[in-house]
Amino acid sequence: MTTEPTTEPAEAERLPAGAPLIIALLVGSAFVMILNETIMSVAMPALIADLHITAATAQWLTSGFLLTMAVVIPITGYLLQRFPPRAVYLAAMTLFAAGTLLCALAPTFGVLLVGRVVQASGTAVMIPLLMTTILRLVPVSRRGQTMGTISIVIAVAPAVGPALSGVILSALGWRWMFWLVLPIALVALAAGAARLRITAETSKTPLDVLSVLISAIAFSGLVYGLSAIGESAAAGGGEEGLPAWVPLVVGLLALAVFVYRQIRLQRTAAPLLDLRPFAIRRYTMAVILVAVGFMSLFGAIILLPLYIQDVLGGSAFVAGLVVLPGGLVMGLVAPFIGRAYDRVGARPLVIPGALLLSAVMWGFTTLGATSPIWLVVLLHIGLSVALGLMFTPLMTDALGALPGELYSHGSAILTTLQQVAGAAGTALFITVMTLASAGSGVDAAGVHAAFLTAAFVSLLVLVVALFVGRREAPRAAAGATGG
């Protein structure tokens, strides 16, 4: 289905028939799935006590989820070319529902982690499917507003996760975080089977299995190495087993091989992940900022519940409530920021967002054992507004800079780097916190060191934000294409 470009403004902004329902179904499904990225963060202290594990081990319920997504997402470019969108959607929701059931029934930490991995495998496919569908269905003049809605999914859902889990934990056990999600996943699966109809061309593009294996080694090695440092520190600095630097080096080498192989395949065959989007400056700058921003987001999501419960002595319910206002504020401002992007472009929004992000991160470094809870809430709201000012314009600017044939690969790259950055940020901040804490638990000195690290990262964000280009005129040929 193709909507021809027209000179009538009203026609240029009209969505294809059925597009609102399709977008609503995909956005709703993605929201529930992304919510599960961080739903376990508030439950970490309870899991540490119940399952007799360290904080560095427990954070794998989040890092493992993100890492699995980073490994699976590069394959989605192939999946979206090889299979119809409806089949991809049904497979993603089936995996997510199966993983949720496994988590709810899990008798041990190992089984719980496996369930999280299965959940993440479905979630990984959903985000590129959502982004690619938006780019195909939505006209250029309305993409900022629509991407504001996607920002609610990608940024707000992880922020709401801790609040939701805190409420559930205050009345029920941690398993209910999965039992309550399971019926929603099954309803979304049934709705997609009955109503999701998207016509798209498919091709029998071969899957480069070697690239899949190399990418899995690269991303898992990098994040596992960072997590292993935290695990070693939590265990008292012992070097039992594989040294942490080994997977880090292996991951870096595998990443270099993966990039080299994709560049070679671009000349002779179909790459697993087409890297040509990086040749476009607008895309590259936006992706770098989004990735570093996600490090800050997931660092705060992981650190704040630990700080509130272990340093301030608050309950899981209080920890959830503290981050709830920020998540709601981000959801409220995202559509307005999207409309502002449609008018003025990315730069006038991103630079103020980066300034606010840095100010908030340095504000977090002032928190201590006697800080008032209202200050934590205020700082988190500031963080949410800052990331809202950055994520929606940057993601829209990045994907809008690409030609149509690179939509699926561009969205896969963007989503992959988001998850790698989130997993790496989580592992990095947990590591710093563990090394700086006086004992085996979490204390004010450890949290301060982690927030100080995040503050220095925010300075990097501010520097890179200055290189975001000014608004470019929309391409005339970038009309809406439904597939």
Side-chain angles (χ1 to χ4, degrees):
M1 175 175 61
T2 302
T3 302
E4 295 295 333
T6 176
T7 58
E8 295 295 331
E11 288 293 324
E13 296 188 357
R14 182 175 300 170
L15 293 176
L21 177 61
I22 293 172
I23 293 173
L25 180 59
L26 292 177
V27 168
S29 300
F31 184 89
V32 174
M33 296 168 87
I34 295 296
L35 187 73
N36 279 267
E37 286 189 17
T38 57
I39 199 170
M40 298 301 294
S41 60
V42 173
M44 283 178 64
L47 289 169
I48 290 170
D50 292 347
L51 302 177
H52 307 291
I53 55 177
T54 66
T57 300
Q59 63 92 16
W60 269 100
L61 292 173
T62 296
S63 289
F65 191 101
L66 299 173
L67 175 59
T68 301
M69 291 184 65
V71 172
V72 174
I73 287 169
I75 310 174
T76 60
Y78 163 80
L79 294 176
L80 293 174
Q81 292 177 346
R82 180 65 179 82
F83 301 101
R86 181 174 182 271
V88 174
Y89 175 86
L90 295 179
M93 288 306 303
T94 299
L95 281 172
F96 179 76
T100 302
L101 178 61
L102 186 59
C103 288
L105 298 172
T108 64
F109 175 81
V111 177
L112 179 61
L113 182 59
V114 171
R116 295 283 287 169
V117 168
V118 177
Q119 277 188 323
S121 299
T123 304
V125 178
M126 181 62 66
I127 302 305
L129 174 62
L130 171 60
M131 287 187 173
T132 303
T133 302
I134 293 294
L135 291 171
R136 288 173 175 169
L137 295 180
V138 179
V140 174
S141 60
R142 294 183 59 175
R143 281 183 184 167
Q145 181 178 351
T146 307
M147 286 297 289
T149 303
I150 295 181
S151 295
I152 299 175
V153 171
I154 295 177
V156 177
V160 172
L164 179 61
S165 60
V167 172
I168 295 173
L169 285 171
S170 67
L172 304 166
W174 59 264
R175 295 180 189 277
W176 281 95
M177 292 188 290
F178 301 105
W179 284 123
L180 295 176
V181 167
L182 182 60
I184 300 174
L186 294 175
V187 169
L189 177 61
R195 305 299 298 272
L196 189 63
R197 296 290 185 270
I198 306 176
T199 303
E201 295 182 3
T202 58
S203 61
K204 295 185 178 180
T205 305
L207 175 65
D208 185 39
V209 178
L210 182 57
S211 290
V212 175
L213 296 176
I214 295 172
S215 68
I217 294 172
F219 298 129
S220 60
L222 291 173
V223 178
Y224 176 77
L226 288 169
S227 299
I229 295 174
E231 179 68 24
S232 174
E239 283 291 334
E240 297 182 6
L242 190 68
W245 63 266
V246 174
L248 280 173
V249 172
V250 171
L252 287 171
L253 292 175
L255 182 61
V257 173
F258 177 76
V259 171
Y260 174 76
R261 181 167 180 81
Q262 301 318 296
I263 294 174
R264 286 284 303 274
L265 290 175
Q266 286 169 195
R267 303 169 185 162
T268 60
L272 176 69
L273 196 61
D274 197 322
L275 301 179
R276 285 179 294 169
F278 284 117
I280 301 173
R281 182 180 179 278
R282 278 177 59 204
Y283 178 88
T284 302
M285 299 305 298
V287 164
I288 291 173
L289 278 171
V290 169
V292 181
F294 260 72
M295 289 185 66
S296 300
L297 173 64
F298 279 91
I301 288 174
I302 293 297
L303 292 175
L304 281 179
L306 291 173
Y307 166 73
I308 293 167
Q309 294 179 80
D310 294 340
V311 177
L312 296 184
S315 65
F317 179 67
V318 172
L321 289 182
V322 164
V323 297
L324 180 59
L328 296 178
V329 167
M330 189 181 293
L332 290 173
V333 303
F336 296 101
I337 294 172
R339 284 194 285 269
Y341 169 83
D342 289 333
R343 294 194 301 269
V344 302
R347 185 179 175 87
L349 300 170
V350 172
I351 292 179
L355 284 168
L356 179 58
L357 174 66
S358 186
V360 168
M361 283 303 178
W362 285 103
F364 276 128
T365 65
T366 66
L367 297 178
T370 59
S371 298
I373 201 71
W374 63 262
L375 179 59
V376 183
V377 175
L378 184 63
L379 288 171
H380 187 261
I381 290 175
L383 173 67
S384 300
V385 174
L387 294 177
L389 284 168
M390 295 176 63
F391 284 153
T392 298
L394 288 172
M395 288 189 292
T396 310
D397 212 47
L399 298 176
L402 302 178
E405 65 270 16
L406 293 179
Y407 281 166
S408 60
H409 290 281
S411 61
I413 292 171
L414 176 61
T415 314
T416 298
L417 291 181
Q418 286 173 5
Q419 306 313 319
V420 171
T426 299
L428 171 64
F429 298 134
I430 286 288
T431 297
V432 172
M433 181 189 69
T434 304
L435 292 174
S437 295
S440 59
V442 178
D443 59 23
V447 173
H448 173 77
F451 278 132
L452 188 62
T453 302
F456 279 110
V457 170
S458 73
L459 295 179
L460 174 62
V461 175
L462 182 56
V463 172
V464 178
L466 298 176
F467 292 92
V468 173
R470 300 186 183 279
R471 182 180 180 87
E472 294 185 9
R475 296 186 302 273
T481 302

